[in-house]
């Protein structure tokens, strides 16, 4: 009897501990958790660190969209070919300033924005599905008055770009993907913790920030960590993880519900509708969105698309060697003008 009572008390204590952990660690799923703006308003250290890598500037604008507020800006010649840029899961385009500059120097008009739960965009209480992200892009195009544009997505942004092209194909001129997400059949074993109901959520919120910070460091070749471009990328991503109040929830919900896996059907439909209007650029040494394993899947699903393999390039190719990425983009997007000459 005493053993039974002791076991029962231990189970009750463990249950209470889990409930309290969930209460204190896990935010309300329906609450907007804010953005860099929230962090800088109350934390002087956060403001200094954020301003050092991603300050608001004269071109910064904010749009109230259907799910929340979005920070964006426009750069490049007003009459240039239009491209909307969609960044990856933990960073923002502030991590790749040379890439943006090279695009504008090629004459493109670029629409740069922060995904929900990143940078200065708000962190609404949504599920962060492919449709949620694609709708953010659509709402923003409506806001700036762009009926159509070429859509460029990097990493997670590639999966979002495919989802957008699948849902709103009439809005897409051309599609450019760089190391695109969405082709995995399932999450890696170490990431599946977030799929465990309740307990997985608690563990993810308990150790998530530390793991993300480690992942940022591990994603960069040790020989490149002192390169100014790579240091800047790491600092911008670190600021997002440390100071953005909604980043962790956005990251976790994206792993659960977002365009990071099982998107073969969407890729196939986009391949069928856009045909040769799809360009995919991929680093041959990419081990984050693995080139060797996943590029053949892309070739199968989008057979008329163009796949450019960049030798010796990693997942961070837009920062490491942006000129190698921008050159094929310019050739591809300007191909019709070249053909008319």
């Amino acid at each position: 009897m005493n053993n039974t009572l002791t076991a029962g008390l231990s189970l009750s204590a463990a249950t209470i501990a889990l409930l309290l952990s969930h209460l204190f660690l896990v935010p309300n799923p329906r609450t907007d958790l804010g953005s860099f703006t929230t962090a800088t308003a109350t934390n002087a250290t956060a403001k200094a660190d954020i301003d050092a890598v991603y300050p608001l500037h004269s071109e910064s604008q904010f749009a109230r969209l259907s799910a929340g507020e979005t920070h964006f800006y426009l750069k490049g010649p007003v009459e240039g070919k239009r491209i909307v840029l969609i960044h990856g899961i933990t960073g923002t385009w502030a991590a790749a300033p040379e890439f943006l500059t090279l695009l504008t120097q090629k004459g493109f008009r670029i629409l740069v924005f922060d995904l929900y739960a990143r940078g200065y965009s708000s962190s609404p209480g949504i599920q962060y599905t492919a449709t949620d992200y694609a709708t953010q892009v659509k709402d923003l195009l409506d806001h700036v008055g762009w009926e159509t544009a070429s859509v460029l997505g990097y990493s997670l942004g590639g999966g979002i770009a495919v989802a957008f092209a699948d849902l709103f194909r009439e809005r897409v001129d051309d599609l450019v993907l760089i190391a695109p997400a969405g082709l995995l059949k399932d999450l890696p074993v170490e990431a599946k913790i977030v799929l465990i109901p309740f307990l997985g959520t608690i563990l993810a919120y308990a150790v998530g920030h530390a793991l993300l910070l480690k992942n940022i460091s591990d994603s960069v070749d040790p020989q490149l960590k002192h390169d100014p471009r790579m240091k800047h990328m790491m600092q911008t991503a670190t600021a997002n993880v440390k100071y953005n109040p909604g980043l962790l929830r956005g990251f976790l919900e994206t792993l659960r519900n977002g365009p990071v896996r099982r998107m073969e059907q969407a890729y196939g439909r986009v391949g069928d509708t856009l045909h040769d209007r799809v360009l995919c650029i991929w680093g041959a040494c990419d081990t984050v969105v693995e080139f060797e394993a996943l590029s053949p899947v892309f070739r199968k699903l989008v057979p008329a698309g163009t796949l450019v393999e960049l030798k010796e390039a990693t997942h961070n190719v837009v920062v490491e060697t942006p000129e190698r990425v921008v050159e094929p983009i310019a050739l591809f997007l300007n191909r019709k003008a070249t053909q008319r000459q």
Side-chain angles (χ1 to χ4, degrees), residues 216-231 234 285 312 314 316 320:
I216 292 168
S217 178
D218 291 348
S219 71
V220 178
D221 186 319
Q223 296 181 343
L224 296 176
K225 286 187 177 181
H226 297 293
D227 180 292
R229 293 173 297 185
M230 300 307 295
K231 287 179 67 175
M234 293 173 65
C285 297
E312 300 180 357
T314 73
N316 298 316
E320 290 174 355

Side-chain angles (χ1 to χ4, degrees), residues 50 118 124 129-130 132 156 177 229 234-235 258 268 278 289 305 335:
I50 293 168
R118 283 84 173 175
T129 64
D132 288 333
L156 170 68
L177 307 174
R229 293 173 297 185
M234 293 173 65
Q235 288 168 345
V278 182
V289 181
R335 68 196 183 284

Side-chain angles (χ1 to χ4, degrees), residues 76 79 89 106 109-110 157-158 202 210 226 252 265 271 291 331 337:
E79 300 304 319
I89 193 167
K106 290 290 186 180
R109 180 69 166 171
I110 59 174
I202 293 172
H226 297 293
L252 296 174
Q265 291 185 356
F291 175 80
L331 289 172

